[in-house]
C-alpha cells in the first residue's frame, strides 16, 4: 500500500520542454506539498495546498504551476525547462498545517528530473 | 541564508555505540523541531520531534535534546544499529498560521559499521 506515490520516478528531458510530475496520496490528508532537493541536497518547500487551495507559494519561477484537481492529488507542471531545474522533486502530505501535523508529513519516493 | 545548519556532512560510528547528530538554528521564533531519516531513492520519513517548550523527547533508541539558549538540538541514537545508516535531516518550523512550513538542514549522512 503506497501512501504517497509519484510518477514518473525518473525524468530526462531537454531544455525548453514542458513536463508534468504527478502525485497522489491515499492517506486522506488535507494538505499536500511539493519540495525541491537540489544538487547540494538542500530540501526546500515550493508549494503547499490545503483542501485544493494554495496556501504556500515560495519564490518559485512562474514556469512552475501546481494543480490540485482534488485533495488526493497535487501535480506539478513545469514549462520551458531549464538546466537549473534539474533536481529531485518530492511530494508530501499531512493532515493539516499545524505544528503537530508537520510531524506526520509523509513523503513520496521522489522524482529525479534531469534537464539536458 | 541557512536558518537550520547541520555542520557535519557525515558521521561514522561502530554498531552498539552512541550516534550524536547535531543541528544549529538561527531563528529564535522556531517553536517546533523535527528529525527525519532518509534512505537512498526514498523520501524522508519522520523520526522524532520536539516542541520548544521541552528540552528532551525520547522514543525508544532515539532521544532529541533541545538547548534553546544555544539554539542547538541534537539527536542521540543508542545503541546504533547498521539499519540506522541513512541521511538524517533536522528541520524546524515557526508558527505562521496556515503558512507553517518546515525549514530543513542539509543533512548528515550516518554510517553505522558492524
Amino acid at each position: 500500500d503506497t501512501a504517497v506515490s509519484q510518477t514518473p520516478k525518473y525524468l530526462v528531458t531537454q531544455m525548453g520542454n514542458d513536463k508534468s510530475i504527478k502525485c497522489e496520496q491515499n492517506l486522506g490528508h488535507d494538505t499536500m506539498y511539493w519540495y525541491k532537493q537540489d544538487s547540494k541536497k538542500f530540501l526546500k518547500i515550493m508549494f503547499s495546498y490545503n483542501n485544493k487551495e494554495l496556501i504556500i507559494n515560495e519564490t518559485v519561477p512562474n514556469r512552475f504551476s501546481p494543480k490540485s484537481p482534488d485533495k488526493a492529488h497535487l501535480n506539478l507542471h513545469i514549462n520551458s525547462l531549464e538546466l537549473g531545474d534539474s533536481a529531485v522533486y518530492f511530494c508530501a502530505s499531512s493532515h493539516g498545517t499545524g505544528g503537530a501535523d508537520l510531524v506526520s508529513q509523509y513523503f513520496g519516493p521522489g522524482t529525479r528530473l534531469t534537464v539536458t | 541564508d541557512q536558518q537550520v545548519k547541520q555542520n557535519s556532512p557525515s558521521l561514522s560510528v561502530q554498531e552498539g555505540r552512541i550516534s550524536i547528530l547535531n543541528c544549529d538554528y538561527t531563528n529564535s521564533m522556531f517553536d517546533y523541531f523535527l528529525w527525519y531519516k532518509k534512505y537512498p531513492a526514498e523520501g524522508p520519513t519522520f523520526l522524532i520531534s520536539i516542541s520548544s517548550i521541552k528540552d528532551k523527547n525520547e522514543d525508544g533508541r532515539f532521544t532529541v535534546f533541545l538547548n534553546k539558549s544555544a539554539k542547538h538540538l541534537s539527536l542521540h541514537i543508542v545503541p546504533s544499529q547498521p539499519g540506522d545508516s541513512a541521511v538524517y535531516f533536522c528541520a524546524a518550523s515557526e508558527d505562521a498560521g496556515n503558512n507553517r512550513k518546515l525549514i530543513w538542514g542539509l543533512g548528515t549522512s550516518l554510517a553505522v559499521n558492524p
Side-chain angles (χ1 to χ4, degrees):
Chain A
D1 277 353
T2 304
V4 182
S5 60
Q6 295 178 228
T7 54
K9 197 167 172 70
Y10 300 96
L11 183 55
V12 181
T13 188
Q14 291 185 326
M15 282 176 56
N17 284 349
D18 303 338
K19 290 293 178 185
S20 292
I21 307 172
K22 296 186 176 182
C23 178
E24 177 181 359
Q25 54 95 3
N26 61 6
L27 298 165
H29 288 165
D30 292 331
T31 307
M32 295 185 72
Y33 311 80
W34 275 110
Y35 285 88
K36 178 181 179 181
Q37 186 180 37
D38 60 24
S39 57
K40 295 178 182 175
K41 306 301 182 187
F42 192 44
L43 194 63
K44 188 172 181 187
I45 190 166
M46 300 171 68
F47 303 101
S48 75
Y49 270 73
N50 182 264
N51 279 320
K52 302 196 300 176
E53 183 182 341
L54 180 67
I55 54 172
I56 292 178
N57 184 349
E58 291 295 287
T59 311
V60 176
N62 56 15
R63 298 182 294 104
F64 290 78
S65 52
K67 285 188 171 47
S68 182
D70 54 57
K71 278 194 333 181
H73 296 85
L74 180 62
N75 304 323
L76 184 65
H77 189 75
I78 315 170
N79 289 326
S80 303
L81 278 156
E82 299 177 358
L83 292 176
D85 297 333
S86 294
V88 180
Y89 292 85
F90 288 100
C91 177
S93 73
S94 67
H95 279 291
T97 57
D101 292 325
L102 293 176
V103 165
S104 36
Q105 227 176 89
Y106 290 79
F107 282 77
T111 296
R112 182 174 291 278
L113 171 65
T114 303
V115 182
T116 62
Chain B
D1 181 28
Q2 265 187 272
Q3 297 185 68
V4 177
K5 298 177 184 177
Q6 293 177 256
N7 292 319
S8 297
S10 62
L11 176 67
S12 182
V13 299
Q14 277 307 114
E15 182 178 4
R17 298 285 184 102
I18 184 171
S19 295
I20 300 176
L21 296 101
N22 294 305
C23 179
D24 297 295
Y25 62 94
T26 57
N27 186 347
S28 57
M29 299 302 292
F30 285 148
D31 63 349
Y32 219 80
F33 303 88
L34 302 90
W35 285 94
Y36 275 75
K37 176 179 176 179
K38 184 183 180 304
Y39 292 117
E42 293 183 13
T45 56
F46 169 73
L47 193 57
I48 193 169
S49 67
I50 189 166
S51 161
S52 61
I53 62 173
K54 296 186 175 181
D55 54 21
K56 177 182 174 181
N57 188 24
E58 191 172 351
D59 183 2
R61 296 185 297 114
F62 303 91
T63 303
V64 56
F65 295 92
L66 176 62
N67 182 336
K68 284 198 296 291
S69 61
K71 295 194 180 69
H72 176 85
L73 65 156
S74 60
L75 174 68
H76 292 210
I77 307 174
V78 183
S80 301
Q81 299 173 354
D84 296 330
S85 297
V87 177
Y88 289 79
F89 288 96
C90 171
S93 175
E94 64 175 300
D95 188 356
N98 273 345
N99 291 337
R100 188 184 269 277
K101 60 189 178 188
L102 290 178
I103 308 297
W104 298 73
L106 280 171
T108 296
S109 179
L110 172 67
V112 179
N113 306 308

